[in-house]
Amino acid sequence: MALAKAINESLRKALESDPKVLIMGEDVGKLGGVFRVTDGLQKDFGEDRVIDTPLAESGIVGTAIGLALRGYRPVVEIQFDGFVFPAYDQIVTQLAKMHARALGKIKLPIVIRIPYGGGIGAVEHHSESPEALFAHVAGLKVVSPANASDAYWMMQQAIQSNDPVIFFEPKRRYWDKAEVDVEAIPGPLHKAKVVREGTDLTLAAYGPMVKLCLEVANAAAEEGRSLEVLDLRSVSPLDFDTVQASVEKTRRLVVVHEAPVFFGSGAEIAARITERCFYHLEAPVLRVGGYHAPYPPARLEDEYLPSLDRVLDAVDRSFAY
Amino acid sequence: MTVESTAARKPRRSAGSKTGTTRTTAQSADAPAVDAPATAAKRVTAKRAATKKPAAKPAGTGADPDLVQLLTPEGRRIKNAAYDPYVAALTSDELRGLYRDMVLTRRFDAEATSLQRQGELGLWASLLGQEAAQIGSGRATRPDDYVFPTYREHGVAWCRDVDPTNLLGMFRGVNNGGWDPSINNFHLYTIVIGSQTLHATGYAMGVAKDGADSAVIAYFGDGASSQGDVAESFTFASVYNAPVVFFCQNNQWAISEPTERQTRVPLYQRAQGYGFPGVRVDGNDVLAVLAVTRWALERARRGEGPTLVEAFTYRMGDHTTSDDASRYRHDDERVAWEAKDPIARLRTYLEASNHADEGFFAELEAESESLGRRVREVVRAMPDPDPFAMFEHTYADGHALVDEERAQFAAYQASFADVEEA
């Protein structure tokens, strides 16, 4: 099943099992979303459950907050990563803080789906990775699946969460297929996974970069290096215990994400792992990601995004210490 | 076409529009002309006109034929065929109740202002002058309605039976909210301007989905009317026909910016562009506000969608205790509005129509003092929160980082105990 289809199936299951679940967003109904992630849901669940909204992101999130206060569980779609900013105020000043402001009396179980990241040759504002901006905000949880199975299960768990969850969907992986066991018992939403065992260096990634890191590990294996690959899955909270355990074994860590490196999630991982594993590390924690520049035009994105060679280069630098 | 040229060509009275129905009703032939404005108000209007105001009709000079009024500033009850039915059944007891609400709210507000001056509160946003707008609209709501305030709706909170001392926690700095909104259907104060209008709209969409016949009311100010969220809430409310009343307290000033800096047309007319009615009511006339808000809420309950009510009122004090209105506002303006005081005019009416006697006023005075004393005592006794409270309620389902940092903080705190023991 393709990752996009897995999310669709997951949303379908949520709509079936809980009448309070709503899907909201621009074009999510008749069109089924610009990526067709919500395809067919309005046809089967009606316009009251799968709601085409006016073209107003702050309005989408703000009204979702009101619906959640009324007892609904809205799953809202922001059409593309770079379009979330009109809603950023509602997300940061209201959605994230209302539970605390009400001393726990209010719960806002809202999922904000954001297709994110580059690699699809899109125009400006359609390829960004703003996850650090959300992870920095207390009150929000931030997750990103890397494969269809996680997409299916993590969406179920995000909808069941009583906290607001920013659900970053790796749009360049929407069409990647994988087995999805819809009967499985999933692990915790915020637990990282070791997706490839290794002994010499740890690659930590999430979302679209997990697949790249697995390719890097294959390439490194041909050079005689055994790389362990972690799929972090959750950016906030971040499962530092799993990263720590891996680094204590491999003694080297390279963090890979598409977002700019500066003040990114890799910086947080590097800082905390340095604190936790200072005497285990053979090299400083290295980061591979985007540059401190606006996301470039599509013809340059291959240079901007982490690539097999850029990650391998970081691996080499780690071993050079 | 420029804004100026549009405004210049705008007819002084629009007819035949969707909102026209409302205003035509409000301005029925039975409705007498509104009292002429005070001289000082004319002067102020002239002063504002000098800030290159377009040729639209002057807003709220008192000569505004669109202003719904049932009680003149002199306390004279005037007829209004459209809105009289909404207050016709008020008993003497209920009329005295409205007066009592306004007096006690003003007393509470004055006490809070004093407490801020004495250093007991970090800040206070006074409602002085806006008592009628808040009590009239607040008393129009039913218990099952849901209220979304901004941060100055102390009178509305009073009407919703929120203990007024609960409002002071955030101003004292012991919490950021402090009451359970679901108990009185009175949402927490929202400080970011206009955000709550979207929450109200979403809540109202939920009410409609549930098939309930309750309504929602969202408070905001003239400054907030410039915010995108307010515009978006109008759009959502309109297209989903949400049962929400947008209650704009136009108190003439957004901190130092006059309403003319927010809009080139009277605010209630904004509703027309969104396809729902807008009404301007004398915000210092508690009867008119009660009537108009009841009408709008009933409309919402009947499934007829949103309404914008612009309560034309005045912020008698500073924006907050951190503000200094004398830097941007002329005293004459305040003096002119003092003549329209909401409490004085209802008192005149109550006395003239024998709805209340001296005993009532004396008793209320005593009750007022007692409220002030209680507020003072409760605020002074408010303990600082436990330091660990800052970690509580960040997340409903917990968060590993919060747990880790709470533990670090506990260890740090405990280190002081070790020092003390040594």
Side-chain angles (χ1 to χ4, degrees):
Chain A
M1 191 186 294
L3 191 148
K5 179 68 176 166
I7 296 172
N8 179 280
E9 288 295 327
S10 191
L11 294 173
R12 175 176 292 280
K13 186 179 173 190
L15 286 163
E16 279 168 357
S17 56
D18 184 352
K20 292 294 186 184
V21 171
L22 305 172
I23 309 290
M24 299 170 64
E26 297 157 16
D27 308 309
V28 298
K30 285 196 176 62
L31 181 66
V34 290
F35 290 104
R36 308 294 183 268
V37 172
T38 53
D39 194 24
L41 298 178
Q42 189 183 66
K43 183 169 152 286
D44 294 341
F45 294 94
E47 294 182 8
D48 271 356
R49 303 284 309 281
V50 181
I51 305 165
D52 275 323
T53 64
L55 206 158
E57 285 80 7
S58 189
I60 294 169
V61 173
T63 53
I65 290 171
L67 282 156
L69 290 170
R70 182 74 192 176
Y72 287 87
R73 299 182 92 88
V75 181
V76 311
E77 177 179 302
I78 298 294
Q79 208 154 62
F80 283 92
D81 35 55
F83 302 163
V84 72
F85 298 106
Y88 196 62
D89 167 46
Q90 281 287 345
I91 295 171
V92 173
T93 70
Q94 306 302 319
L95 180 61
K97 296 184 171 71
M98 213 176 272
H99 178 70
R101 203 176 282 153
L103 303 177
K105 304 295 185 187
I106 285 174
K107 291 184 178 61
L108 293 178
I110 296 174
V111 177
I112 299 180
R113 297 180 38 238
I114 306 177
Y116 85 121
I120 63 164
V123 296
E124 194 184 15
H125 310 305
H126 289 67
S127 302
E128 298 176 10
S129 297
E131 62 271 18
L133 297 174
F134 295 90
H136 194 64
V137 179
L140 302 176
K141 290 181 173 173
V142 182
V143 302
S144 179
N147 57 63
S149 179
D150 267 355
Y152 180 86
W153 283 112
M154 288 169 72
M155 180 59 76
Q156 291 292 305
Q157 293 167 319
I159 293 171
Q160 284 155 19
S161 166
N162 289 312
D163 290 308
V165 178
I166 314 296
F167 197 96
F168 280 105
E169 299 172 3
K171 67 171 89 82
R172 70 154 113 172
R173 307 295 182 215
Y174 268 149
W175 304 279
D176 288 5
K177 291 185 177 174
E179 286 291 316
V180 177
D181 180 357
V182 298
E183 306 295 328
I185 297 168
L189 175 59
H190 302 291
K191 178 94 176 132
K193 278 183 188 164
V194 179
V195 289
R196 178 187 172 117
E197 302 253 4
T199 55
D200 301 340
L201 179 144
T202 299
L203 288 176
Y206 50 85
M209 290 291 93
V210 173
K211 184 178 180 183
L212 176 71
C213 287
L214 288 168
E215 291 165 3
V216 169
N218 280 335
E222 289 172 17
E223 298 170 0
R225 283 173 176 159
S226 166
L227 271 50
E228 181 147 301
V229 179
L230 304 183
D231 178 355
L232 297 171
R233 301 171 75 248
S234 175
V235 179
S236 178
L238 205 146
D239 177 8
F240 289 102
D241 292 345
T242 297
V243 184
Q244 179 178 349
S246 178
V247 170
E248 285 178 358
K249 181 172 68 168
T250 67
R251 307 171 86 83
R252 297 175 196 278
L253 174 64
V254 174
V255 186
V256 183
H257 53 59
E258 289 192 10
V261 164
F262 186 65
F263 269 84
S265 46
E268 182 61 38
I269 296 168
R272 285 192 187 255
I273 290 304
T274 302
E275 271 189 62
R276 288 182 176 218
C277 307
F278 187 71
Y279 294 108
H280 289 89
L281 285 166
E282 298 286 350
V285 179
L286 299 179
R287 293 166 288 159
V288 183
Y291 300 108
H292 193 54
Y295 195 91
R299 299 279 176 158
L300 281 177
E301 68 179 344
D302 284 349
E303 303 299 325
Y304 175 89
L305 290 167
S307 61
L308 188 82
D309 286 337
R310 277 181 63 200
V311 181
L312 281 170
D313 180 64
V315 170
D316 287 345
R317 280 189 285 129
S318 180
F319 279 103
Y321 277 93
Chain B
M1 186 184 289
T2 63
V3 171
E4 285 77 7
S5 63
T6 311
R9 299 197 298 111
K10 199 172 186 62
R12 290 178 68 84
R13 292 279 296 273
S14 58
S17 67
K18 197 167 180 183
T19 56
T21 313
T22 306
R23 284 187 282 115
T24 306
T25 316
Q27 302 143 19
S28 71
D30 291 347
V34 178
D35 285 17
T39 313
K42 271 184 187 162
R43 199 199 63 75
V44 169
T45 305
K47 185 184 77 176
R48 294 225 189 135
T51 63
K52 209 181 166 202
K53 197 179 167 188
K57 64 183 173 185
T61 57
D64 187 344
D66 292 350
L67 189 76
V68 178
Q69 193 178 63
L70 301 183
L71 205 55
T72 70
E74 295 74 30
R76 183 166 53 87
R77 179 73 168 85
I78 53 178
K79 288 193 187 306
N80 182 306
Y83 292 103
D84 278 343
Y86 292 91
V87 290
L90 284 177
T91 62
S92 290
D93 203 33
E94 287 167 326
L95 286 165
R96 283 194 302 274
L98 293 170
Y99 182 81
R100 174 178 173 272
D101 289 337
M102 289 198 291
V103 167
L104 293 181
T105 299
R106 180 171 288 188
R107 182 68 185 84
F108 163 72
D109 185 76
E111 191 61 41
T113 302
S114 299
L115 285 166
Q116 196 282 331
R117 297 298 183 222
Q118 292 160 19
E120 299 288 349
L121 300 178
L123 182 79
W124 182 242
S126 168
L127 64 44
L128 186 63
Q130 297 177 225
E131 295 87 353
Q134 297 196 11
I135 299 301
S137 58
R139 284 294 173 214
T141 62
R142 281 191 335 208
D144 60 322
D145 293 338
Y146 209 101
V147 177
F148 285 85
T150 172
Y151 48 78
R152 202 191 294 280
E153 272 66 74
H154 322 312
V156 186
W158 173 267
C159 295
R160 301 298 299 184
D161 291 331
V162 175
D163 186 320
T165 60
N166 280 347
L167 306 174
L168 299 171
M170 75 184 294
F171 292 100
R172 187 170 170 86
V174 302
N175 59 47
N176 291 324
W179 61 90
D180 181 350
S182 65
I183 292 174
N184 301 303
N185 282 7
F186 185 79
H187 192 65
L188 298 163
Y189 278 1
T190 300
I191 292 181
V192 178
I193 303 295
S195 296
Q196 75 284 357
T197 58
L198 280 169
H199 309 157
T201 301
Y203 193 95
M205 288 162 63
V207 168
K209 279 182 188 305
D210 295 343
D213 78 336
S214 50
V216 179
I217 184 165
Y219 288 84
F220 61 103
D222 43 309
S225 72
S226 299
Q227 287 281 1
D229 276 1
V230 173
E232 293 187 23
S233 70
F234 287 2
T235 297
F236 275 69
S238 178
V239 302
Y240 295 117
N241 202 44
V244 57
V245 175
F246 296 108
F247 193 91
C248 176
Q249 287 174 88
N250 177 0
N251 69 10
Q252 314 301 321
W253 293 92
I255 307 188
S256 70
E257 307 283 1
T259 310
E260 283 76 4
R261 191 59 73 186
Q262 315 297 335
T263 182
R264 294 273 176 141
V265 298
L267 287 172
Y268 73 94
Q269 289 182 4
R270 292 248 179 114
Q272 189 177 355
Y274 292 88
F276 55 84
V279 184
R280 174 178 278 181
V281 61
D282 184 337
N284 286 16
D285 172 355
V286 71
L287 294 185
V289 174
L290 179 67
V292 168
T293 314
R294 277 180 170 171
W295 166 78
L297 288 167
E298 285 180 17
R299 215 182 147 268
R301 290 190 190 103
R302 286 196 302 267
E304 293 172 23
T307 305
L308 170 62
V309 176
E310 179 192 1
F312 204 78
T313 182
Y314 191 71
R315 188 192 84 209
M316 299 293 285
D318 298 325
H319 167 68
T320 67
T321 45
S322 296
D323 180 34
D324 176 8
S326 71
R327 292 173 73 100
Y328 54 82
R329 215 166 64 168
H330 203 282
D331 280 348
D332 290 356
E333 184 181 291
R334 184 191 156 104
V335 171
W337 277 92
E338 275 173 359
K340 303 179 193 177
D341 187 86
I343 295 181
R345 84 170 70 173
L346 184 59
R347 178 167 182 147
T348 306
Y349 172 66
L350 290 178
E351 287 174 332
S353 54
N354 295 319
H355 284 299
D357 56 21
E358 272 312 308
F360 165 75
F361 294 110
E363 208 171 291
L364 184 55
E365 179 63 27
E367 187 181 4
S368 210
E369 282 316 304
S370 158
L371 173 68
R373 202 160 43 245
R374 181 169 83 82
V375 167
R376 204 156 54 239
E377 282 164 7
V378 171
V379 166
R380 285 180 176 157
M382 268 183 197
D384 285 349
D386 184 297
F388 287 90
M390 64 184 158
F391 298 101
E392 298 306 314
H393 310 305
T394 305
Y395 293 90
D397 295 341
H399 189 287
L401 176 65
V402 175
D403 295 341
E404 186 180 322
E405 292 188 349
R406 186 195 289 109
Q408 288 168 356
F409 182 72
Y412 173 72
Q413 295 286 77
S415 70
F416 290 99
D418 293 345
V419 171
E420 281 164 20
E421 279 171 22

